[in-house]
Amino acid sequence: MSETNTFILDDQEIPFTPGQSVMQAALSAGVFIPHLCYHPEFRPHGSCKLCTVKINGRPATSCTTPAAHGMEVESNTPEILDKRRTLVQMLLIEGNHFCPSCEKSGFCKLQALGYELGVMTPRFNLMYPTRPVDASHPDVLLDFNRCILCELCIRASTEVDGKFVFALSGRGIKKHLVVNAESGRLADTNFSLTDKAAQVCPVGVILPKRMGFAVPIGQRHFDDAPISAHVDEFKPVMPGPGGRS
Amino acid sequence: MNDTDAINEVLVRHGKDGTRLMQILRETQEELGWLSPATLTAIAAGINWPRSRVESTAGFYSFFHTTPLGRYRVLWSDNITDRMLGNMDLMQAMCKKLWLEPGRVSADGLVSVDTTSCTGMCDQGPAILVNYRAITHMTAERIDQMVELIHNQTPITEWPAEWFKIEDNIRRADILLTNTMPPGEALRISFARGAATEVETSFSERSWHESMQASDIGASATLDEIKKSALRGRGGAGFTTGLKWEACHNAPGRTRYVVCNADEGEPGTFKDRVLLTRQPDLVLEGMTVAAYIIGANKGFVYLRGEYRYLLEPLNAVLAKRRKLGLLGENILGREGFNFDIEVHLGAGAYVCGEESALIESLEGKRGVPRNRPPYPVTNGFLNQPTVVNNVETFASAALIAAKGGDWYRSFGSARSTGTKILSVSGDCERPGIYEYPFGVTVRQVLEECGAHNTQAVQVSGPSGICLNRDEFDRRIAFGDVPTAGAFMVFGQQRDIFEVVRNFVHFFAHESCGFCTPCRVGTTLLKNLVDKIADGNGTRTDIDEIFHLNRLLQTTAHCGLGHTACNPLLYTLEKFRPAYERRLKLLKFVPAFDLDAALSQARQMTGRDDAGAHLETQSEIAQ
Ligand SMILES: Cc1cc2nc3c(=O)[nH]c(=O)nc-3n(C[C@H](O)[C@H](O)[C@H](O)COP(=O)(O)O)c2cc1C
Ligand code: SF4
Ligand code: SF4
Ligand code: FES
Ligand code: FES
């Protein structure tokens, strides 16, 4: 009875297969919902809260909420867009983001969402945290200044690479990434540039060394169109309760 | 004993089981003083976990240190009630005598002094923890003696015993605190409910199957009593206990667990400490009744790290109950009813009171709330159905199991049955523990605790509600003023803004950091409140507080984030002058001094007239 599996998202009818999240169903139908910790190949995480929507009038994270028939989901409302904008501003002031000197600029989802949501100012005072870079590894630079703590690298290293290279330490605003070595240096782990964990960072933390301006500014990934127009890239790669298990 | 041997001894004691990581870390730290990088590597190898995951857990909790913090670690409880008793001056005095700054370790590596979130001694503050042992009633004289003992490197075990005395201060006792039921009574009566039915139905020889059914009848009849009592959770959310237990019983699973939430982290709350001191059997019996009803074999008491001193006494009660046949195999001779309880100590993290974070912590991980649903009743500890209840809920359930639901309903009101234990502190003559039937007015509590000239009462801690004088006829009940137990009284002389500031700092310190709105938002709120405190606040900052509140209430991942703005909201509504007094009239004041920043430009242009300065506050006001 597939015709009964639909919900309403901002006046549009969205079909879904049972087990899909609201986010997965929306993306499959070509409707973009902003997100940072969601990744098509991984189980939902629910931490960035960018994907917040209202379901039947109540706020919920669309990446973790299973779709159900007849739901009424609001996403593109001024109220929700304002919340998402504030969340992006929070992530920007929490770290040290100097886009012009960042290799990821133009490929960065945080930056792209900033443009998408119309982030014109930082709104809050910058926190300027001290986050030393780790350049110990021969092939990879870790610039923690830009980490938004989405845990995608942790999930990739744990679930795909089986290496546990990354983990979180600290709590609250002092939460930060650590690597799997007594020295605390990436060079002393078994991390490799070919790891899945090296491919998933949505921002500019995990960067290959000896690469600079490989693609000219203006021709970069999100330079052609806003991130919402790239919706097809984020479609779930497998149906069901979401990604790897 | 060298470090390696010490670590190994701890590892072996815990069967090298990673889910026991919290206890392994604590016991290792108690041996070695801190958790060095090499220690974490050794522990990771021992439990066969990736090192990164061990570091992850160690780094989450306030009471684990991965840097050396001295042989003596002094932590001053920093609840507003401690502040009202002068803890900040005392801490400064102590630091001066020890020649150190708060938060720093002395040059010789001997001692460090810092603050910590409320330690649950609000009725006997100012309170401290020394190497995680509670000391109350701090005075200038005690500081002098303590500094001497630290300088002489006297082991804490040789410090004056009376410093470590914790008072119960029970001022009003009702059905829970006057209980004299012998251990095992509630269980016997619960079992008998099955036997009674059985006698009626069958006089013939009992088969194994029938006796199992009889046990089911006892369990389901006792569950009916719990449901009939209309008991609701005492930990804050007020969920109906009978329905929770029934859902857990009905959930499919390999095995089931009973967890007692003794994290008691909400500042101003200390009633679970007194229940665990005075009525431990009643609490443990409630857990055992729950195990009987849902079919669990294993239970945990999640005891907050601040109550470390209760570990040995509780273990002694558990041992006694095993001896009496009230825990272990075939409890009270009941074939196949096997259940035991273990105390799990937390390590300084308020968020671990949230039930799914608590379960993560029980599994040896960071105390981060899970995505819900699924809820613990279906997917709890090790993914099995788990009941999590507050200490007071279990104690009440034991009484109901023994005396029945109708008896229990005769106390309190129709919608809020039974009694509620309040932890009263702040500006009153008789701070301490007050057990009332539900429905008592705030005014009656104030009268009985000897509070005069009261300006405000904070009920249920920082995440609760702030009542002003016009609201003292409201009642403590689920439908009116619900509470997890805290009742902090503020006299007319108090500055409500300082109360709020203390609470806002608390939430920023305790956010687990999982979700963006709470992790960043609680720190932004803290910065805003500090800006107002420094006299640089504006109306725009107040607007920003409301804006952040709307964001946190709707997008935060757990109750901590949802309620983090409550202290600001209630007091902005009811105690507006406390803010207005401090606000500048300007719509906007930046966090740095713009006018001063222009001084170089003035120097270069040789100007110092009014036009070369930014407009002043008095100009704007005109
Ligand atoms: C941030 C936070 C802290 C909490 N702390 C406690 C606590 O210290 N003790 C407690 O019993 N419940 C606490 N709770 C409530 C628990 O999540 C849970 O609802 C409760 O333990 C259920 O028991 P009850 O039904 O007996 O009240 C807390 C909840 C949140 C969101
Ligand atoms: S990570 Fe993204 S937002 Fe941050 S500096 Fe780089 S491009 Fe800018
Ligand atoms: S390094 Fe990148 S992928 Fe990893 S947590 Fe930080 S932002 Fe996410
Ligand atoms: S994408 Fe849903 S919370 Fe991050
Ligand atoms: S406090 Fe941890 S998610 Fe909000």
Side-chain angles (χ1 to χ4, degrees), chain B residues 524-587:
Chain B
L524 290 172
L525 285 164
K526 174 178 131 177
N527 295 345
L528 280 170
V529 171
D530 286 350
K531 186 183 173 199
I532 297 172
D534 292 343
N536 292 320
T538 64
R539 269 172 295 137
T540 312
D541 294 320
I542 303 288
D543 292 344
E544 190 62 73
I545 289 171
F546 286 114
H547 180 250
L548 284 171
N549 169 56
R550 286 192 296 274
L551 182 75
L552 264 78
Q553 269 186 2
T554 50
T555 65
H557 181 66
C558 77
L560 191 155
H562 295 149
T563 55
C565 296
N566 281 4
L568 288 156
L569 293 185
Y570 284 116
T571 55
L572 274 165
E573 183 194 327
K574 301 176 190 175
F575 298 92
R576 190 78 180 207
Y579 293 81
E580 305 267 309
R581 258 208 307 281
R582 292 182 157 84
L583 294 187
K584 293 217 167 165
L585 294 163
L586 301 166
K587 268 208 93 150

Side-chain angles (χ1 to χ4, degrees), chain B residues 63 73-77 112-116 127-130 132:
Chain B
F63 291 179
R73 174 112 176 105
V74 181
L75 291 172
W76 287 80
S77 175
S112 63
V113 177
D114 209 340
T115 56
T116 189
I128 62 170
L129 298 172
V130 181
Y132 307 106

Side-chain angles (χ1 to χ4, degrees), chain A residues 20-21 23-24 27-28 32-33 35-45 63 109 152 155 159-160 196 199-200 202 230-245:
Chain A
Q20 272 190 323
S21 65
M23 167 81 83
Q24 286 175 321
L27 293 172
S28 301
F32 181 74
I33 298 179
H35 58 266
L36 283 166
C37 67
Y38 161 85
H39 186 289
E41 293 171 51
F42 292 90
R43 270 176 300 173
H45 194 244
C63 69
K109 287 176 98 177
L152 271 167
R155 291 181 272 161
E159 294 168 27
V160 183
K196 183 74 180 171
Q199 330 291 323
V200 292
H230 289 255
V231 57
D232 287 349
E233 293 163 24
F234 312 120
K235 281 188 180 170
V237 291
M238 48 191 95
R244 290 166 208 277
S245 50

